């Protein structure tokens, strides 16, 4: 390994790995940032052994008050390192600095939400004494940790995704093992180190970057795992779910091809900047990025032209530069793939109104395509790049049918001014959430966030993840002194 860049050690207590480290590089200029230790099979086994031993020893469970204190201290540390963490995330993940600062703030708030949930959510009283068979009894539930949590994360939000998966586990008292994306491991490892600095014993939150896919699979599918949290590709997520041990709960968050319906009379002055942000934010590398916009034929070209004009004015550049609005794609291979998809759409008759070309090996011009073929990849698969497609329609019902025609279902949007028409579209779109006069990528961290169909399983969002990571345990007390 180079002496010129830092090395981040293994975060699994009690073991040394024989695997060679991985280099994390900046996607903008491919310069190395740091090397990260990787876990071998023995390391994975030790991490599971550490976590499961904690879960089975109830006397070792961390009391709620101490968890609150740990999370509170972690928030304080994160606030002190806000700028450092934002630059780190921008540099390794490619999201522009301004957006990365927002991501750090969201991660801090995600930890705060965990604390609020611990303070405000409790069990419930189950009615008793209402029948002869239930007399002289009182019953109530309390929350207990579900078990060991294994979290596998994606690259595109290298800090806040980790916060969404790890902080709820810590809050609910679950030992957690987190595997970040190799390409953006630094933000994850920093977050885990902060938890340790805040007083969380290291065995309660371990981080592994696995050297072999088989080791990651073995970790996820181990019978000692109580809950599996996955953010990433549908192919990998559904395959892993099919291999989970009996009884392991899971939440899967995959991608989509988010649709937007512009209705007659939609305010284009409002729609254009909103959909430009929702489509090109983080170079389109967001699972609910605006991808497919269906517009009435009378305004489709005008809307697409105005969207292209907005896209052309957006600054593409180094994500650590405060002026940058769109950064690189995560790898040069992704740039090549996106360009191939755009060229296919263009060859099939789609009109490329802006972009459609590489800026460099790592960056792609924001692109707007008017009426690409219905069977082109940009129309039927998740682009995960800075490309927005606009489709003109004559009949709104037919546009809704096209929006619903793919095997993905996540967040969607509708723009308009007629409330009845808006509600008709909203009620008919296949989606877990529909944004009205806002882009599809809107999210706050306490709301439910759920992919449907091939887009996912279970419900994300901090409070909802906490619920998934807990078991409601009921106690029933029988006493002749209980009269009512």
């Amino acid at each position: 390994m180079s002496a010129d860049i830092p090395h981040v050690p293994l975060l699994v207590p009690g073991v040394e790995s024989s695997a060679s480290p991985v280099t994390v590089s900046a996607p903008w200029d491919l310069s190395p940032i740091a090397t990260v230790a990787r876990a071998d099979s023995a390391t994975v086994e030790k991490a599971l052994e550490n976590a499961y031993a904690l879960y089975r020893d109830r006397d070792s469970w961390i009391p709620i008050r101490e968890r609150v204190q740990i999370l509170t201290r972690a928030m304080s540390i994160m606030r002190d390192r806000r700028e450092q963490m934002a630059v780190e995330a921008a540099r390794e993940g490619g999201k522009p600095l301004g957006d990365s600062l927002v991501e750090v703030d969201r991660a801090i708030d995600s930890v705060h939400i965990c604390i609020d949930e611990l303070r405000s959510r409790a069990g419930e009283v189950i009615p008793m004494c209402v029948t002869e068979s239930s007399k002289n009894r009182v019953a109530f539930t309390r929350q207990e940790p579900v078990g060991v949590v294994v979290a596998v994360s994606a690259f595109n939000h290298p800090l806040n995704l980790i916060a969404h998966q790890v902080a709820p586990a810590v809050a609910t008292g679950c030992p957690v093992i987190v595997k970040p994306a190799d390409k953006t491991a630094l933000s994850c490892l920093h977050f885990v180190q902060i938890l340790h600095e805040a007083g969380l014993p290291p065995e309660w939150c371990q981080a592994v970057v696995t050297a072999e896919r088989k080791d990651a699979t073995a970790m996820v599918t181990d019978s000692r795992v109580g809950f599996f949290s996955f953010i990433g590709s549908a192919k990998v997520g559904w395959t892993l779910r099919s291999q989970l041990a009996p009884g392991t709960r899971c939440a899967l968050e995959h991608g989509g091809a988010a649709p937007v319906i512009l209705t007659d009379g939609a305010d284009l002055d409002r729609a254009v900047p909103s959909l430009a942000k929702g489509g090109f934010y983080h170079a389109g590398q967001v699972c609910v990025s605006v991808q497919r916009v269906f517009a009435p034929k009378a305004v489709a070209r005008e809307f697409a032209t105005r969207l292209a004009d907005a896209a052309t004015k957006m600054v593409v550049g180094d994500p650590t530069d405060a002026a940058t609005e769109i950064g690189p794609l995560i790898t040069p291979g992704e740039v090549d793939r996106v360009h191939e998809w755009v060229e296919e759409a263009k060859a099939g008759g789609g009109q490329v109104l802006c972009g459609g070309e590489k800026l460099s090996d790592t960056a792609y011009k924001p692109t707007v395509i008017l009426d690409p073929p219905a069977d082109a990849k940009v129309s039927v698969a998740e682009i995960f790049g800075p490309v927005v497609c606009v489709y003109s329609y004559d009949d709104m019902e037919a546009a809704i049918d096209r929006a619903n025609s793919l095997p993905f279902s996540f967040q969607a949007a509708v723009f308009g001014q007629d409330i009845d028409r808006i509600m008709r579209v909203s009620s008919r779109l296949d989606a877990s959430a529909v944004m009205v006069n806002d882009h599809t990528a809107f999210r706050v961290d306490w709301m439910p966030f759920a992919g449907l169909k091939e887009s996912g399983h279970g419900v994300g969002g901090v409070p909802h993840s906490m619920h998934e990571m807990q078991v409601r345990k009921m106690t029933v007390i029988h006493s002749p002194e209980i009269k009512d």
Side-chain angles (χ1 to χ4, degrees):
M1 77 186 62
S2 172
D4 298 326
I5 60 174
H7 177 70
V8 182
L10 208 61
L11 293 181
V12 177
V15 67
E16 293 291 335
S17 174
S18 62
S20 59
V22 63
T23 299
V24 176
S25 299
W28 173 246
D29 59 9
L30 305 181
S31 61
I33 303 172
T35 60
V36 175
R38 289 197 294 184
D40 56 16
S41 299
T43 309
V44 168
E45 172 56 31
K46 182 60 177 176
L48 286 166
E49 180 184 306
N50 290 342
Y52 191 66
L54 290 174
Y55 175 66
R56 295 311 308 166
D57 180 9
R58 288 176 177 260
D59 291 335
S60 74
W61 288 7
I62 303 173
I64 291 178
R65 64 184 179 278
E66 293 183 18
R67 285 180 248 151
V68 169
Q69 292 166 1
I70 290 166
L71 292 171
T72 301
R73 288 192 291 266
M75 287 173 56
S76 178
I77 297 170
M78 293 172 74
R79 289 192 186 103
D80 289 343
R81 299 179 190 172
R82 176 177 181 264
E83 287 74 21
Q84 174 192 346
M85 298 180 78
V87 171
E88 181 177 63
R91 193 176 177 205
E92 72 169 342
K95 183 189 296 180
L97 182 58
D99 292 326
S100 291
L101 284 165
V102 172
E103 179 175 351
V104 176
D105 291 339
R106 286 182 59 192
I108 294 169
D109 193 51
S110 294
V111 178
H112 195 279
I113 294 167
C114 289
I115 296 170
D116 287 345
E117 286 293 305
L118 289 175
R119 291 184 181 278
S120 61
R121 295 293 178 93
E124 60 180 323
V125 174
I126 308 299
M128 292 288 162
C129 299
V130 294
T131 64
E132 188 66 21
S133 62
S134 65
K135 70 180 183 180
N136 304 132
R137 290 170 173 83
V138 64
F140 57 89
T141 64
R142 293 187 298 168
Q143 309 285 10
E144 287 192 352
V146 69
V148 174
V149 171
V150 168
V152 175
S153 204
F155 76 86
N156 53 331
H157 304 290
L159 178 62
N160 199 42
L161 291 183
I162 298 298
H164 268 245
Q165 294 173 288
V166 171
V170 173
T172 55
C174 294
V176 56
I177 306 168
V178 57
K179 178 195 173 300
D182 292 14
K183 294 176 177 62
T184 54
L186 300 178
S187 294
C188 170
L189 296 171
H190 193 173
F191 181 70
V192 172
Q193 289 169 337
I194 287 173
L195 290 172
H196 296 167
E197 288 179 47
L200 184 71
E203 292 84 358
W204 280 91
C205 182
Q206 303 170 96
V208 297
V209 177
T210 51
E212 302 285 346
R213 179 174 292 182
K214 64 179 178 62
D215 295 328
T217 301
M219 178 174 65
V220 168
T221 59
D222 193 278
S223 61
R224 290 168 288 186
V225 177
F227 187 85
F228 172 48
S229 171
F230 179 82
I231 302 174
S233 78
K235 180 179 179 180
V236 174
W238 289 115
T239 298
L240 288 173
R241 179 176 180 259
S242 72
Q243 300 175 52
L244 294 179
T248 301
R249 296 183 183 181
C250 73
L252 311 177
E253 184 183 310
H254 302 146
V260 179
I261 304 290
L262 299 185
T263 64
D264 287 328
D267 184 350
L268 299 189
D269 289 338
R270 185 173 183 178
V272 168
S274 176
L275 297 180
K277 179 64 177 179
F280 301 119
Y281 164 67
H282 196 11
Q285 297 170 117
V286 179
C287 60
V288 286
S289 286
V290 172
Q291 178 170 329
R292 299 176 297 143
V293 182
F294 299 89
K297 183 168 288 187
V299 299
R301 179 171 290 278
E302 177 190 357
F303 166 77
T305 300
R306 291 177 62 176
L307 183 65
D309 183 59
T312 302
K313 294 175 181 176
M314 299 177 87
V315 178
V316 182
D318 184 339
T320 62
D321 186 331
T324 295
E325 296 172 277
I326 301 174
L329 274 74
I330 192 63
T331 65
E334 285 297 284
V335 176
D336 293 339
R337 177 190 60 80
V338 169
H339 186 60
E340 289 172 5
W341 287 21
V342 171
E343 286 293 296
E344 178 200 42
K346 182 178 178 180
Q351 301 174 56
V352 177
L353 301 186
C354 72
E357 59 183 285
K358 303 177 187 179
L359 279 170
S360 68
D361 289 341
T362 62
Y364 199 77
K365 279 189 176 182
T367 300
V368 175
I369 308 175
L370 178 62
D371 287 322
D375 60 351
K377 290 185 180 69
V378 297
S379 298
V380 300
E382 183 181 25
I383 296 172
F384 223 60
V387 180
V388 176
C389 300
V390 180
Y391 306 86
S392 55
Y393 71 81
D394 292 309
D395 178 75
M396 189 179 74
E397 301 301 321
I400 295 171
D401 288 343
R402 287 188 69 185
N404 292 339
S405 65
L406 303 185
F408 317 113
S409 178
F410 214 141
Q411 296 195 164
V414 54
F415 279 76
Q417 300 184 68
D418 182 324
I419 188 63
D420 293 334
R421 188 172 290 142
I422 287 171
M423 291 308 299
R424 182 173 182 82
V425 173
S426 177
S427 65
R428 283 159 175 75
L429 281 172
D430 288 346
S432 60
V434 177
M435 310 304 158
V436 176
N437 291 327
D438 206 347
H439 61 71
T440 59
F442 171 79
R443 184 183 184 186
V444 291
D445 299 295
W446 56 87
M447 75 187 217
F449 192 68
L452 307 176
K453 299 196 287 189
E454 291 185 14
S455 292
H457 174 78
V459 182
V462 173
H464 310 280
S465 294
M466 289 179 67
H467 176 78
E468 295 283 338
M469 293 176 183
Q470 292 177 311
V471 175
R472 290 198 314 163
K473 187 173 185 177
M474 185 172 66
T475 299
V476 182
I477 300 173
H478 184 199
S479 169
E481 296 304 313
I482 300 171
K483 306 298 184 183
D484 205 354

